[in-house]
Amino acid sequence: MLTAHVGLAGSLLGAAALHVGWAEQADAVAQTLSDYALVDGGGRIFTGTVICLAAGSAALLAGLVRSGLPVGGPAKALLGAWCGGLVLTVVFPTDPAGSTPSVRGLVHRYTAGGAVAALPLAGLLIARRLGVLPGWQPTARSLRRTSWASVAGGLAFLGAHLCATAPVTPMARSIAGGLGLAERVTFGLETVLLFVLAGAVRASRGRR
């Protein structure tokens, strides 16, 4: 679990560095985290941040597999999709705002969206399995609440993204202006979800 915690902590430090160091070049409310890859000097920090998050998540997945907890195959596959989606968002950078969508940008968009959706679904599946184990109900409740909060954040992010894609009304344009904020809230919730999962793995070692 040390590797998982180091990776997750590294991603938080990287995100903080991007927000502080490039605050004047990227609007944290309107622009997505991926836009940091397009600003001068921000690409390497963004890549390192995402790789840390992916590595920490992969270590967490390995820990869950070794823990003996009844995670289930679908949840493992969803966590794998989360890890893979993160890596692909680095391999295929986003398009600059206002530009014509490219194949690269579309791959980035859909893999990022798939990753955002996969993690809370995995959390809900794991919470359901943990909830039937004696003594695991508090962990299951915490995991379930965080997962549902992440789902709500993801839906808000999806709504803002759709409005940004087709801002046909003044209300849609207003909602699109909060795209970056919606994404950051979602990723914040999903990072909390990862730490809750890491806590479950750590707790399982004391119950063997």
Side-chain angles (χ1 to χ4, degrees):
M1 276 298 93
L2 178 60
T3 302
H5 281 95
V6 169
L8 297 178
S11 69
L12 291 176
L13 288 174
L18 288 170
H19 283 86
V20 173
W22 284 266
E24 295 183 358
Q25 298 182 56
D27 186 342
V29 175
Q31 293 180 271
T32 64
L33 291 165
S34 299
D35 288 321
Y36 285 113
L38 305 177
V39 300
D40 292 339
R44 291 183 180 180
I45 303 298
F46 173 79
T47 298
T49 298
V50 177
I51 293 302
C52 280
L53 182 57
S57 299
L60 172 58
L61 174 55
L64 282 168
V65 172
R66 292 194 302 266
S67 71
L69 292 173
V71 176
K76 294 175 186 176
L78 287 167
L79 286 170
W82 157 259
C83 296
L86 290 174
V87 173
L88 288 174
T89 61
V90 173
V91 176
F92 299 93
T94 190
D95 293 316
S99 65
T100 302
S102 65
V103 173
R104 179 195 70 183
L106 290 173
V107 171
H108 176 94
R109 180 183 304 175
Y110 289 116
T111 54
V116 167
L119 181 58
L121 292 178
L124 289 171
L125 290 176
I126 296 171
R128 185 173 64 181
R129 285 175 170 263
L130 290 182
V132 301
L133 297 180
W136 283 93
Q137 286 79 9
T139 300
R141 281 195 299 271
S142 178
L143 186 55
R144 189 177 301 111
R145 290 169 181 168
T146 310
S147 297
W148 278 120
S150 297
V151 170
L155 291 174
F157 175 45
L158 174 62
H161 193 282
L162 292 175
C163 289
T165 303
V168 294
T169 66
M171 180 176 290
R173 286 191 289 272
S174 177
I175 294 173
L179 175 63
L181 178 60
E183 184 196 41
R184 284 161 175 78
V185 170
T186 300
F187 272 105
L189 290 168
E190 298 205 343
T191 301
V192 172
L193 175 53
L194 290 170
F195 277 107
V196 174
L197 286 171
V201 174
R202 186 170 58 249
S204 71
R205 295 176 177 177
R207 303 188 187 192
R208 292 178 183 176

